[in-house]
Structure formats: structure tokens, C-alpha cells
Amino acid sequence: MKRFFLLAALAIGMSAAGFATDKAKVVAHRGHWKPAGSAQNSIRSLVKADSIGCWGSEFDVWRTADGKLVVNHDGVHDGVVIQTSNAKEVTALKLSNGEKLPLLKDYLNTFRKHPNLKVVCELKSHKDAEAERMAVHEILKMMKKKGLEKRVVYISFSLPAVKEFIKYAPKGTEVYYLNGELNPKELKAIGCAGPDYPLYILKGNPSWIKECHDLGMKVNIWTVDKKEDLQWCINNGADFITTNNPEELQQMLK
């Protein structure tokens, strides 16, 4: 009888561990940028995210004044305002690892060489609504041209951009909203795959995770770096966890 209970306990433990590993996918925030030689939103950070077996790598996109798409988090880099500057000026800027600030097309050319990785593409909120709308369509066109449509997830703080992605991306493409003010039913109504919300929003509304799952949606939580917060996300059934510490999260999921 004691042997039976020991085996049962072991089975339950293995099942719980398997559930966590299956449910929580690791997304490297701005790529895996902490190792030497890497930098946030660099091509190197994309390669490093794949090298450690991340499910996905998140990155940020801006549109320049002359209509080129570039990868960077901040709208201003070394004093240059990306939205009001030409691509030649923007791509001459250096990242902290010495790389030039990349054009989206160059970033995606490297991504194509890493077939096991997915990307989470964040379109930044633009001051010019038309430029933002055009960026959505230019991104979709570029992904299609490069054969990457099934390997990309779209996110944005801009609700108009989210709705544009939902309307024009291929059927089945996952699009998530970042801002945090819409509840699960409201997200479902506009066609979102689910929320991609900051940790404090979901900690304040923990029932939303189950509600999203009941509605057939998924949940991503960002940007989660502390061990106790990562554990909270795992325990509460997050589908994706975006983190600056992907290797630590991977170890926890094992």
C-alpha cells in the first residue's frame, strides 16, 4: 500500500511538472541580450534566444519618416527621433554591442535561418496614425514575402494597430493587446488571441487567466524577472512568459 501511494505521488508530481512545461513558453524580452556581445533588439540577441532554446524572441518596430521599418525599443536613440528621421540616419546609429540599428528586413533575414524560433513582433505606437496603419501592412507584406507568416505573433499598445493586424493578418495569426484596460470578454469581442498584459494587471485580476482559457484565449505576461514572480506565472497557468532572464525561467520549468 505504501508503494502504491509513493508511485501515485510521483505520478502526480510528474504530471504537474509536465503541465508547467507544456503551458508556459519562454519569450526572450528584446531577445536574449544579457550575454556578452549581445544587446537589446540586436540581431545577435535574436540568435542567442534561439541558441538557448527559447520558444520565441520579442522585438520592437518603428517606421521612419521615409517609410522604412527598423528594430529598436525606444523612439529616440542617441538623440535621433526615429519617426521623424530618415532610415539612412537611423541605421547609422550603433547599439551597445557595436551593431548598427537593424532594418526589419535584415532582422528577418537572420530569423529565417533559425526555423525552430518564433518571434513576437511589437509595433510601437506612432504619433502619426496613418504611418502606424501603413506600418501594419508593410510588416504583413514583408512577413508574407519572406515566408514567415506562421512563425510570428503580433502585439501592440495601440488598439487601432491591434485591430488592423486582426483584420488583415492571415487567418489564425495570433494578435495580443498590451495596454491592460480591456477584460477577457472585450478582448474576445475584437478578435484578440488574448491579453499580453504586465504582471501587475494579472496579479490584480487573477481570475482573468482562467476566464481567458475558458474563452479559448491564451495569456502572455510581461516583463517577469524575479524568481517569485516567474513562479506565480507558472502556478497560475500563463501560456507565455516574457522575461529578461530566459535561462532562469527555463531551469524553473524543468
Side-chain angles (χ1 to χ4, degrees), residues 2 9 28 38 58 73 97 245:
K2 183 182 290 186
S38 192
E58 184 263 354
H73 180 264
N97 68 339
N245 299 319

Side-chain angles (χ1 to χ4, degrees), residues 8-250:
L10 179 61
I12 291 169
M14 292 175 65
S15 176
F19 173 81
T21 304
D22 291 342
K23 290 293 289 185
K25 293 180 172 62
V26 180
V27 179
H29 184 232
R30 306 176 195 172
H32 189 26
W33 56 268
K34 287 190 174 182
S38 192
Q40 294 185 10
N41 274 307
S42 64
I43 289 176
R44 178 64 176 165
S45 72
L46 177 73
V47 174
K48 291 297 291 183
D50 185 49
S51 74
I52 64 169
C54 288
W55 175 87
S57 186
E58 184 263 354
F59 68 97
D60 308 279
V61 177
W62 292 94
R63 190 175 191 269
T64 64
D66 55 344
K68 302 296 183 182
L69 300 172
V70 297
V71 177
N72 199 58
H73 180 264
D74 295 340
V76 181
H77 192 85
D78 288 347
V80 175
V81 180
I82 295 175
Q83 294 181 70
T84 58
S85 303
N86 291 333
K88 185 176 181 180
E89 182 180 6
V90 172
T91 55
L93 301 171
K94 294 291 184 69
L95 301 175
S96 63
N97 68 339
E99 285 184 32
K100 289 184 178 180
L101 196 149
L103 287 166
L104 177 60
K105 67 176 183 179
D106 295 329
Y107 191 89
L108 295 181
N109 283 339
T110 297
F111 174 49
R112 291 176 68 184
K113 300 174 185 177
H114 298 268
N116 295 322
L117 187 70
K118 295 187 184 295
V119 287
V120 179
C121 174
E122 178 182 343
L123 177 60
K124 306 302 286 188
S125 299
H126 287 58
K127 292 181 179 179
D128 185 330
E130 179 60 17
E132 183 177 279
R133 188 193 69 81
M134 291 177 69
V136 170
H137 291 274
E138 289 158 358
I139 290 169
L140 292 173
K141 182 178 179 180
M142 194 177 296
M143 293 294 181
K144 181 177 181 179
K145 182 178 180 180
K146 295 182 181 296
L148 300 172
E149 292 174 298
K150 294 183 179 180
R151 294 177 56 199
V152 60
V153 169
Y154 297 108
I155 62 175
S156 185
F157 281 99
S158 166
L159 190 56
V162 164
K163 290 179 177 179
E164 197 80 357
F165 275 123
I166 290 169
K167 185 175 181 179
Y168 291 102
K171 185 177 180 180
T173 302
E174 294 183 2
V175 183
Y176 296 82
Y177 183 48
L178 290 166
N179 210 42
E181 81 278 9
L182 299 183
N183 64 42
K185 288 182 179 178
E186 291 171 322
L187 291 171
K188 182 74 172 180
I190 64 174
C192 272
D196 189 348
Y197 283 174
L199 178 64
Y200 78 91
I201 292 287
L202 289 165
K203 274 195 168 183
N205 301 277
S207 64
W208 281 8
I209 298 177
K210 182 179 184 304
E211 188 175 347
C212 284
H213 291 159
D214 289 344
L215 290 168
M217 297 192 295
K218 299 176 184 177
V219 176
N220 188 19
I221 306 178
W222 61 268
T223 300
V224 191
D225 292 337
K226 293 181 180 179
K227 189 171 184 177
E228 59 268 29
D229 291 333
L230 291 168
Q231 192 63 58
W232 186 92
C233 294
I234 294 169
N235 292 346
N236 283 274
D239 299 283
F240 309 93
I241 303 172
T242 299
T243 179
N244 290 311
N245 299 319
E247 290 181 276
E248 181 177 17
L249 176 55
Q250 287 173 326

